[in-house]
Amino acid sequence: MGNEQGVAMISRRKALRSGVGLAALATVGAPSILHAQTKTLKITTWGGKWGEVMKATVLPAFEKEFKCTVSADQAFPFLPKLQVSPKNDPIYDVLHTNSNEQWNAVVEGLVMNKITAKEVPNIADVYPYAVSEKIVGVTIFTSAIGLGYRTDKGLAKPTSWKDLADPKLAGARGGYLIPVNSLGQAHLMMLGKVYGKGLTDLDAAYKALEALKPIKLVDFTGQMEKMLLSAEVSMGVIHDSGVYRYEGANMQPVDFASPSEGVLALEQVLNVTPGSKVKELAFAYIDYMLRPDVQKLLAEAVWYSPANRKVKLDAKYDAKLLTTPEKVATLIQPDWKWYNARREDIDARVTKILKG
């Protein structure tokens, strides 16, 4: 008998004589048992209807399947919090935000540049735009930025981005404070394409922006929705889901138009932080969000177009969302890396134009 075994037997006898319970005996002289610690995945996610569905259904199901806990931050903006957290112990494992901020984050080394089907198998089934050269990370949903308009104001359905400049809409058209809203920034680039040589033709864009005055400006798309619903504006720049979500029981006299020059992509992008301690779980979460059943649930809840080509939406959603290669081909993805590099100068110029 080895010395360790003898010590164990003596320990057991002493325990029995002293009346130690069985639970204690289970640990005396036995190998220590290491209990696996439940992993926590730290993510960002939107509020509103999206957040409700995520917290009620999507996240609990993920936690159950992967035996983990998800800590979800809904307090936008997220990027400043990631910027001040340590790179080797970031505040988030998965950053969910729009493309413009993902490009800022990757330039600063805060997120990965590319994620492939090796890490996230469902990437093999996404539309090309979801992993194009204009994307860092992976797009899980997109919306079309076009024109929302009132159907009770005698307006013809807009067919061009130029329709927003109709003199009849003076004071009744809506846009965004470009320094703070990516839809406003995307619209500015589209003005360069429609009135000039392309998305990077800033001189043409500035001139076209000047011609849109007077225009009512808001910070966020939620405010644009309210202005359209209250008829404070008759036409405004907005993403399709911001109009379609009011259909059915909430029917309002508003509709969405996709201009003939194309619609701008408002992408919901997920990315992983290089310093994450749970990278495998982070990749699993992105793969989970690209599953057809999860995509269908969220797409129909908030009218977002799913990135996975295999998703089959119910007829009323399929009719309006970007669910075919032909519809997807109308999407225009701005070069956010180009824009972000010039943002300070652009902000100064557009602020001067719109205040003048």
Short mmCIF file of all heavy atoms in Angstrom, two decimals, residues 58 83 125 182 186 192 211 265 277 283 288-289 300 306:
data_model
loop_
_atom_site.label_atom_id
_atom_site.label_comp_id
_atom_site.label_asym_id
_atom_site.label_seq_id
_atom_site.Cartn_x
_atom_site.Cartn_y
_atom_site.Cartn_z
N VAL A 58 -34.72 34.21 -28.99
CA VAL A 58 -33.47 33.85 -29.66
C VAL A 58 -32.34 33.57 -28.67
O VAL A 58 -31.67 32.53 -28.76
CB VAL A 58 -33.06 34.96 -30.65
CG1 VAL A 58 -31.71 34.64 -31.29
CG2 VAL A 58 -34.13 35.13 -31.72
N GLN A 83 -13.87 50.88 -27.58
CA GLN A 83 -12.61 51.60 -27.78
C GLN A 83 -11.83 51.79 -26.47
O GLN A 83 -10.60 51.79 -26.48
CB GLN A 83 -12.88 52.96 -28.43
CG GLN A 83 -13.27 52.88 -29.90
CD GLN A 83 -13.76 54.20 -30.46
OE1 GLN A 83 -14.42 54.97 -29.75
NE2 GLN A 83 -13.46 54.46 -31.72
N ASP A 125 -23.85 29.79 -47.17
CA ASP A 125 -25.19 29.95 -47.73
C ASP A 125 -25.66 31.39 -47.83
O ASP A 125 -26.83 31.64 -48.15
CB ASP A 125 -26.20 29.15 -46.88
CG ASP A 125 -25.93 27.66 -46.90
OD1 ASP A 125 -25.48 27.16 -47.95
OD2 ASP A 125 -26.16 27.00 -45.87
N SER A 182 -25.88 57.22 -40.18
CA SER A 182 -25.30 56.57 -41.36
C SER A 182 -26.26 56.58 -42.55
O SER A 182 -25.81 56.51 -43.70
CB SER A 182 -24.89 55.13 -41.04
OG SER A 182 -26.00 54.33 -40.70
N ALA A 186 -25.07 57.78 -46.12
CA ALA A 186 -25.29 56.96 -47.32
C ALA A 186 -26.06 57.76 -48.37
O ALA A 186 -25.75 57.70 -49.56
CB ALA A 186 -26.05 55.69 -46.95
N GLY A 192 -24.18 61.89 -54.85
CA GLY A 192 -23.03 61.98 -55.76
C GLY A 192 -23.19 61.08 -56.96
O GLY A 192 -22.80 61.43 -58.08
N ALA A 211 -29.69 71.88 -52.71
CA ALA A 211 -30.96 72.02 -53.41
C ALA A 211 -32.13 71.39 -52.66
O ALA A 211 -33.29 71.66 -52.99
CB ALA A 211 -30.86 71.40 -54.81
N ALA A 265 -27.63 49.87 -49.03
CA ALA A 265 -27.68 48.77 -48.06
C ALA A 265 -27.45 49.29 -46.64
O ALA A 265 -26.45 49.96 -46.38
CB ALA A 265 -26.64 47.72 -48.41
N LYS A 277 -12.14 35.97 -25.07
CA LYS A 277 -11.70 34.74 -24.39
C LYS A 277 -12.56 33.55 -24.79
O LYS A 277 -12.27 32.42 -24.40
CB LYS A 277 -11.77 34.93 -22.87
CG LYS A 277 -11.10 36.18 -22.34
CD LYS A 277 -9.61 36.20 -22.56
CE LYS A 277 -8.98 37.40 -21.86
NZ LYS A 277 -7.55 37.57 -22.18
N PHE A 283 -18.07 32.59 -32.51
CA PHE A 283 -18.32 32.11 -33.87
C PHE A 283 -19.60 31.28 -33.93
O PHE A 283 -20.38 31.38 -34.89
CB PHE A 283 -17.14 31.26 -34.37
CG PHE A 283 -15.89 32.04 -34.63
CD1 PHE A 283 -14.65 31.57 -34.21
CD2 PHE A 283 -15.94 33.25 -35.32
CE1 PHE A 283 -13.49 32.28 -34.45
CE2 PHE A 283 -14.77 33.97 -35.57
CZ PHE A 283 -13.55 33.50 -35.13
N TYR A 288 -25.22 30.61 -35.49
CA TYR A 288 -26.60 30.44 -35.01
C TYR A 288 -27.51 31.53 -35.58
O TYR A 288 -28.63 31.26 -36.03
CB TYR A 288 -26.58 30.50 -33.49
CG TYR A 288 -27.91 30.50 -32.79
CD1 TYR A 288 -28.61 29.31 -32.53
CD2 TYR A 288 -28.47 31.70 -32.33
CE1 TYR A 288 -29.82 29.33 -31.85
CE2 TYR A 288 -29.68 31.72 -31.66
CZ TYR A 288 -30.35 30.53 -31.43
OH TYR A 288 -31.56 30.55 -30.76
N MET A 289 -27.02 32.77 -35.61
CA MET A 289 -27.82 33.88 -36.12
C MET A 289 -28.05 33.78 -37.63
O MET A 289 -28.95 34.41 -38.17
CB MET A 289 -27.16 35.21 -35.78
CG MET A 289 -27.16 35.54 -34.29
SD MET A 289 -28.82 35.77 -33.61
CE MET A 289 -29.26 37.35 -34.34
N GLU A 300 -39.21 38.19 -40.08
CA GLU A 300 -40.66 38.43 -40.09
C GLU A 300 -41.11 39.25 -38.90
O GLU A 300 -42.19 39.85 -38.93
CB GLU A 300 -41.39 37.09 -40.14
CG GLU A 300 -41.13 36.36 -41.46
CD GLU A 300 -41.86 35.03 -41.60
OE1 GLU A 300 -42.47 34.58 -40.60
OE2 GLU A 300 -41.83 34.45 -42.70
N PRO A 306 -33.20 38.70 -44.87
CA PRO A 306 -32.22 37.74 -44.37
C PRO A 306 -31.04 37.57 -45.32
O PRO A 306 -31.20 37.60 -46.54
CB PRO A 306 -33.02 36.44 -44.25
CG PRO A 306 -34.12 36.58 -45.26
CD PRO A 306 -34.46 38.04 -45.29
#
